[in-house]
mmCIF file of all heavy atoms in Angstrom:
data_model
loop_
_atom_site.group_PDB
_atom_site.id
_atom_site.type_symbol
_atom_site.label_atom_id
_atom_site.label_comp_id
_atom_site.label_asym_id
_atom_site.label_seq_id
_atom_site.Cartn_x
_atom_site.Cartn_y
_atom_site.Cartn_z
ATOM 1 N N GLU A 1 -10.346 10.067 2.182
ATOM 2 C CA GLU A 1 -11.785 9.983 2.420
ATOM 3 C C GLU A 1 -12.319 11.242 3.115
ATOM 4 O O GLU A 1 -13.314 11.819 2.680
ATOM 5 C CB GLU A 1 -12.039 8.764 3.316
ATOM 6 C CG GLU A 1 -13.195 7.907 2.871
ATOM 7 C CD GLU A 1 -13.305 6.681 3.750
ATOM 8 O OE1 GLU A 1 -12.444 5.781 3.640
ATOM 9 O OE2 GLU A 1 -14.235 6.640 4.567
ATOM 10 N N VAL A 2 -11.631 11.669 4.192
ATOM 11 C CA VAL A 2 -12.161 12.831 4.937
ATOM 12 C C VAL A 2 -12.015 14.128 4.144
ATOM 13 O O VAL A 2 -12.788 15.063 4.328
ATOM 14 C CB VAL A 2 -11.549 12.977 6.365
ATOM 15 C CG1 VAL A 2 -11.828 11.750 7.211
ATOM 16 C CG2 VAL A 2 -10.076 13.297 6.335
ATOM 17 N N CYS A 3 -11.028 14.165 3.241
ATOM 18 C CA CYS A 3 -10.858 15.363 2.400
ATOM 19 C C CYS A 3 -11.678 15.280 1.106
ATOM 20 O O CYS A 3 -11.617 16.185 0.267
ATOM 21 C CB CYS A 3 -9.381 15.572 2.044
ATOM 22 S SG CYS A 3 -8.356 16.007 3.447
ATOM 23 N N LYS A 4 -12.412 14.157 0.944
ATOM 24 C CA LYS A 4 -13.240 13.916 -0.263
ATOM 25 C C LYS A 4 -12.435 14.111 -1.544
ATOM 26 O O LYS A 4 -12.830 14.819 -2.463
ATOM 27 C CB LYS A 4 -14.478 14.834 -0.258
ATOM 28 C CG LYS A 4 -15.406 14.557 0.924
ATOM 29 C CD LYS A 4 -16.669 15.393 0.851
ATOM 30 C CE LYS A 4 -17.705 15.010 1.891
ATOM 31 N NZ LYS A 4 -17.232 15.033 3.286
ATOM 32 N N LEU A 5 -11.261 13.471 -1.596
ATOM 33 C CA LEU A 5 -10.369 13.611 -2.754
ATOM 34 C C LEU A 5 -10.562 12.454 -3.723
ATOM 35 O O LEU A 5 -10.798 11.317 -3.308
ATOM 36 C CB LEU A 5 -8.906 13.591 -2.298
ATOM 37 C CG LEU A 5 -8.402 14.732 -1.425
ATOM 38 C CD1 LEU A 5 -7.013 14.403 -0.899
ATOM 39 C CD2 LEU A 5 -8.342 16.035 -2.218
ATOM 40 N N LYS A 6 -10.422 12.747 -5.006
ATOM 41 C CA LYS A 6 -10.349 11.675 -6.018
ATOM 42 C C LYS A 6 -8.858 11.369 -6.145
ATOM 43 O O LYS A 6 -8.090 12.203 -6.638
ATOM 44 C CB LYS A 6 -10.880 12.213 -7.357
ATOM 45 C CG LYS A 6 -12.275 11.718 -7.714
ATOM 46 C CD LYS A 6 -12.594 12.069 -9.159
ATOM 47 C CE LYS A 6 -13.615 11.220 -9.832
ATOM 48 N NZ LYS A 6 -14.751 10.750 -9.102
ATOM 49 N N TYR A 7 -8.449 10.227 -5.646
ATOM 50 C CA TYR A 7 -7.008 9.942 -5.614
ATOM 51 C C TYR A 7 -6.808 8.437 -5.694
ATOM 52 O O TYR A 7 -7.472 7.673 -4.995
ATOM 53 C CB TYR A 7 -6.401 10.484 -4.310
ATOM 54 C CG TYR A 7 -4.892 10.505 -4.293
ATOM 55 C CD1 TYR A 7 -4.189 11.624 -4.737
ATOM 56 C CD2 TYR A 7 -4.163 9.400 -3.859
ATOM 57 C CE1 TYR A 7 -2.799 11.637 -4.735
ATOM 58 C CE2 TYR A 7 -2.776 9.408 -3.863
ATOM 59 C CZ TYR A 7 -2.102 10.536 -4.301
ATOM 60 O OH TYR A 7 -0.720 10.551 -4.316
ATOM 61 N N ASP A 8 -5.879 7.999 -6.548
ATOM 62 C CA ASP A 8 -5.664 6.573 -6.774
ATOM 63 C C ASP A 8 -4.592 6.045 -5.818
ATOM 64 O O ASP A 8 -3.398 6.217 -6.052
ATOM 65 C CB ASP A 8 -5.241 6.356 -8.237
ATOM 66 C CG ASP A 8 -5.043 4.879 -8.554
ATOM 67 O OD1 ASP A 8 -5.396 4.042 -7.692
ATOM 68 O OD2 ASP A 8 -4.536 4.569 -9.640
ATOM 69 N N MET A 9 -5.027 5.393 -4.739
ATOM 70 C CA MET A 9 -4.082 4.876 -3.739
ATOM 71 C C MET A 9 -3.238 3.719 -4.282
ATOM 72 O O MET A 9 -2.208 3.366 -3.710
ATOM 73 C CB MET A 9 -4.835 4.410 -2.479
ATOM 74 C CG MET A 9 -5.542 5.505 -1.711
ATOM 75 S SD MET A 9 -4.438 6.849 -1.171
ATOM 76 C CE MET A 9 -3.365 6.001 -0.031
ATOM 77 N N SER A 10 -3.668 3.120 -5.411
ATOM 78 C CA SER A 10 -2.915 1.979 -5.950
ATOM 79 C C SER A 10 -1.589 2.428 -6.583
ATOM 80 O O SER A 10 -0.750 1.596 -6.907
ATOM 81 C CB SER A 10 -3.741 1.199 -6.972
ATOM 82 O OG SER A 10 -3.893 1.950 -8.148
ATOM 83 N N LYS A 11 -1.396 3.752 -6.734
ATOM 84 C CA LYS A 11 -0.123 4.221 -7.303
ATOM 85 C C LYS A 11 1.067 3.865 -6.401
ATOM 86 O O LYS A 11 2.213 3.895 -6.819
ATOM 87 C CB LYS A 11 -0.154 5.731 -7.571
ATOM 88 C CG LYS A 11 -0.101 6.604 -6.322
ATOM 89 C CD LYS A 11 0.038 8.088 -6.649
ATOM 90 C CE LYS A 11 1.445 8.443 -7.029
ATOM 91 N NZ LYS A 11 1.709 9.892 -7.042
ATOM 92 N N PHE A 12 0.763 3.508 -5.130
ATOM 93 C CA PHE A 12 1.840 3.197 -4.187
ATOM 94 C C PHE A 12 2.107 1.694 -4.039
ATOM 95 O O PHE A 12 2.946 1.301 -3.238
ATOM 96 C CB PHE A 12 1.514 3.791 -2.808
ATOM 97 C CG PHE A 12 1.410 5.291 -2.807
ATOM 98 C CD1 PHE A 12 0.224 5.915 -2.436
ATOM 99 C CD2 PHE A 12 2.479 6.082 -3.183
ATOM 100 C CE1 PHE A 12 0.114 7.301 -2.440
ATOM 101 C CE2 PHE A 12 2.387 7.469 -3.189
ATOM 102 C CZ PHE A 12 1.200 8.083 -2.823
ATOM 103 N N LEU A 13 1.400 0.859 -4.804
ATOM 104 C CA LEU A 13 1.552 -0.591 -4.640
ATOM 105 C C LEU A 13 2.988 -1.053 -4.910
ATOM 106 O O LEU A 13 3.495 -1.955 -4.255
ATOM 107 C CB LEU A 13 0.585 -1.353 -5.559
ATOM 108 C CG LEU A 13 -0.905 -1.246 -5.207
ATOM 109 C CD1 LEU A 13 -1.740 -2.003 -6.223
ATOM 110 C CD2 LEU A 13 -1.181 -1.774 -3.803
ATOM 111 N N GLU A 14 3.650 -0.424 -5.879
ATOM 112 C CA GLU A 14 5.029 -0.802 -6.206
ATOM 113 C C GLU A 14 5.951 -0.593 -5.002
ATOM 114 O O GLU A 14 6.825 -1.405 -4.713
ATOM 115 C CB GLU A 14 5.523 0.019 -7.409
ATOM 116 C CG GLU A 14 5.300 1.502 -7.220
ATOM 117 C CD GLU A 14 5.686 2.367 -8.408
ATOM 118 O OE1 GLU A 14 5.517 1.901 -9.530
ATOM 119 O OE2 GLU A 14 6.154 3.488 -8.176
ATOM 120 N N LEU A 15 5.724 0.522 -4.282
ATOM 121 C CA LEU A 15 6.565 0.819 -3.123
ATOM 122 C C LEU A 15 6.206 -0.077 -1.937
ATOM 123 O O LEU A 15 7.075 -0.542 -1.207
ATOM 124 C CB LEU A 15 6.412 2.295 -2.715
ATOM 125 C CG LEU A 15 6.958 3.318 -3.713
ATOM 126 C CD1 LEU A 15 6.596 4.729 -3.293
ATOM 127 C CD2 LEU A 15 8.473 3.192 -3.860
ATOM 128 N N LEU A 16 4.906 -0.334 -1.756
ATOM 129 C CA LEU A 16 4.468 -1.194 -0.648
ATOM 130 C C LEU A 16 5.071 -2.595 -0.776
ATOM 131 O O LEU A 16 5.493 -3.185 0.217
ATOM 132 C CB LEU A 16 2.934 -1.312 -0.627
ATOM 133 C CG LEU A 16 2.150 -0.088 -0.156
ATOM 134 C CD1 LEU A 16 0.658 -0.370 -0.253
ATOM 135 C CD2 LEU A 16 2.507 0.297 1.271
ATOM 136 N N ALA A 17 5.104 -3.120 -2.003
ATOM 137 C CA ALA A 17 5.651 -4.469 -2.216
ATOM 138 C C ALA A 17 7.089 -4.548 -1.710
ATOM 139 O O ALA A 17 7.491 -5.527 -1.070
ATOM 140 C CB ALA A 17 5.588 -4.832 -3.702
ATOM 141 N N ILE A 18 7.869 -3.506 -1.970
ATOM 142 C CA ILE A 18 9.275 -3.490 -1.561
ATOM 143 C C ILE A 18 9.381 -3.444 -0.034
ATOM 144 O O ILE A 18 10.168 -4.177 0.573
ATOM 145 C CB ILE A 18 10.002 -2.292 -2.215
ATOM 146 C CG1 ILE A 18 10.087 -2.518 -3.725
ATOM 147 C CG2 ILE A 18 11.390 -2.091 -1.624
ATOM 148 C CD1 ILE A 18 10.487 -1.297 -4.516
ATOM 149 N N ALA A 19 8.562 -2.605 0.601
ATOM 150 C CA ALA A 19 8.605 -2.485 2.069
ATOM 151 C C ALA A 19 8.187 -3.789 2.747
ATOM 152 O O ALA A 19 8.792 -4.218 3.723
ATOM 153 C CB ALA A 19 7.711 -1.337 2.518
ATOM 154 N N ILE A 20 7.137 -4.441 2.213
ATOM 155 C CA ILE A 20 6.624 -5.682 2.815
ATOM 156 C C ILE A 20 7.703 -6.769 2.769
ATOM 157 O O ILE A 20 7.959 -7.455 3.765
ATOM 158 C CB ILE A 20 5.340 -6.159 2.083
ATOM 159 C CG1 ILE A 20 4.180 -5.187 2.339
ATOM 160 C CG2 ILE A 20 4.948 -7.569 2.525
ATOM 161 C CD1 ILE A 20 2.975 -5.376 1.395
ATOM 162 N N VAL A 21 8.346 -6.926 1.610
ATOM 163 C CA VAL A 21 9.375 -7.959 1.460
ATOM 164 C C VAL A 21 10.599 -7.609 2.307
ATOM 165 O O VAL A 21 11.131 -8.457 3.034
ATOM 166 C CB VAL A 21 9.767 -8.141 -0.031
ATOM 167 C CG1 VAL A 21 10.980 -9.057 -0.172
ATOM 168 C CG2 VAL A 21 8.586 -8.697 -0.825
ATOM 169 N N ALA A 22 11.043 -6.354 2.231
ATOM 170 C CA ALA A 22 12.263 -5.948 2.944
ATOM 171 C C ALA A 22 12.102 -6.065 4.452
ATOM 172 O O ALA A 22 13.057 -6.385 5.157
ATOM 173 C CB ALA A 22 12.630 -4.510 2.572
ATOM 174 N N ASP A 23 10.883 -5.828 4.962
ATOM 175 C CA ASP A 23 10.676 -5.856 6.411
ATOM 176 C C ASP A 23 10.257 -7.240 6.904
ATOM 177 O O ASP A 23 9.817 -7.388 8.037
ATOM 178 C CB ASP A 23 9.641 -4.801 6.833
ATOM 179 C CG ASP A 23 10.114 -4.030 8.065
ATOM 180 O OD1 ASP A 23 11.289 -3.621 8.083
ATOM 181 O OD2 ASP A 23 9.329 -3.854 9.015
ATOM 182 N N MET A 24 10.397 -8.242 6.033
ATOM 183 C CA MET A 24 10.136 -9.640 6.383
ATOM 184 C C MET A 24 8.740 -9.868 6.977
ATOM 185 O O MET A 24 8.567 -10.552 7.980
ATOM 186 C CB MET A 24 11.201 -10.143 7.363
ATOM 187 C CG MET A 24 12.578 -10.279 6.743
ATOM 188 S SD MET A 24 13.851 -10.588 7.980
ATOM 189 C CE MET A 24 13.343 -12.191 8.580
ATOM 190 N N MET A 25 7.749 -9.252 6.346
ATOM 191 C CA MET A 25 6.368 -9.493 6.780
ATOM 192 C C MET A 25 5.902 -10.862 6.272
ATOM 193 O O MET A 25 6.428 -11.377 5.291
ATOM 194 C CB MET A 25 5.439 -8.403 6.226
ATOM 195 C CG MET A 25 5.686 -7.016 6.810
ATOM 196 S SD MET A 25 5.378 -6.937 8.581
ATOM 197 C CE MET A 25 7.028 -6.938 9.248
ATOM 198 N N GLU A 26 4.895 -11.418 6.926
ATOM 199 C CA GLU A 26 4.350 -12.709 6.508
ATOM 200 C C GLU A 26 3.768 -12.578 5.098
ATOM 201 O O GLU A 26 2.914 -11.725 4.868
ATOM 202 C CB GLU A 26 3.233 -13.143 7.466
ATOM 203 C CG GLU A 26 3.723 -13.327 8.888
ATOM 204 C CD GLU A 26 2.610 -13.764 9.831
ATOM 205 O OE1 GLU A 26 1.448 -13.859 9.393
ATOM 206 O OE2 GLU A 26 2.913 -14.022 11.004
ATOM 207 N N LEU A 27 4.212 -13.435 4.190
ATOM 208 C CA LEU A 27 3.740 -13.335 2.809
ATOM 209 C C LEU A 27 2.509 -14.213 2.591
ATOM 210 O O LEU A 27 2.528 -15.185 1.839
ATOM 211 C CB LEU A 27 4.865 -13.670 1.830
ATOM 212 C CG LEU A 27 5.966 -12.602 1.800
ATOM 213 C CD1 LEU A 27 7.059 -12.977 0.826
ATOM 214 C CD2 LEU A 27 5.421 -11.231 1.453
ATOM 215 N N ARG A 28 1.475 -13.870 3.321
ATOM 216 C CA ARG A 28 0.180 -14.528 3.152
ATOM 217 C C ARG A 28 -0.884 -13.449 3.275
ATOM 218 O O ARG A 28 -0.582 -12.296 3.567
ATOM 219 C CB ARG A 28 -0.009 -15.640 4.193
ATOM 220 C CG ARG A 28 0.102 -15.167 5.623
ATOM 221 C CD ARG A 28 -0.077 -16.286 6.633
ATOM 222 N NE ARG A 28 -0.225 -15.729 7.978
ATOM 223 C CZ ARG A 28 -1.372 -15.329 8.502
ATOM 224 N NH1 ARG A 28 -2.499 -15.414 7.812
ATOM 225 N NH2 ARG A 28 -1.421 -14.834 9.722
ATOM 226 N N ASP A 29 -2.128 -13.841 3.005
ATOM 227 C CA ASP A 29 -3.264 -12.950 3.155
ATOM 228 C C ASP A 29 -3.036 -11.639 2.394
ATOM 229 O O ASP A 29 -2.575 -11.652 1.266
ATOM 230 C CB ASP A 29 -3.546 -12.702 4.650
ATOM 231 C CG ASP A 29 -5.010 -12.371 4.910
ATOM 232 O OD1 ASP A 29 -5.381 -11.201 4.752
ATOM 233 O OD2 ASP A 29 -5.803 -13.277 5.233
ATOM 234 N N LEU A 30 -3.350 -10.495 3.029
ATOM 235 C CA LEU A 30 -3.311 -9.234 2.272
ATOM 236 C C LEU A 30 -1.897 -8.888 1.812
ATOM 237 O O LEU A 30 -1.710 -8.259 0.767
ATOM 238 C CB LEU A 30 -3.923 -8.091 3.081
ATOM 239 C CG LEU A 30 -3.207 -7.629 4.339
ATOM 240 C CD1 LEU A 30 -2.514 -6.307 4.086
ATOM 241 C CD2 LEU A 30 -4.219 -7.445 5.447
#
């Protein structure tokens, strides 16, 4: 946002899913 870049942050969703599950985060809400 501060660099005013056109960039698709959703490209990292595959990696985030792995980190969330592996780190035993609560699997509710976001």
Side-chain angles (χ1 to χ4, degrees):
E1 225 176 288
V2 300
C3 292
K4 297 185 172 55
L5 295 171
K6 255 191 156 37
Y7 192 90
D8 182 9
M9 295 303 295
S10 71
K11 72 173 282 194
F12 298 120
L13 291 178
E14 51 184 34
L15 293 173
L16 287 178
I18 292 167
I20 292 166
V21 171
D23 225 46
M24 291 170 65
M25 293 297 104
E26 298 180 356
L27 291 180
R28 57 181 191 86
D29 207 277
L30 67 105

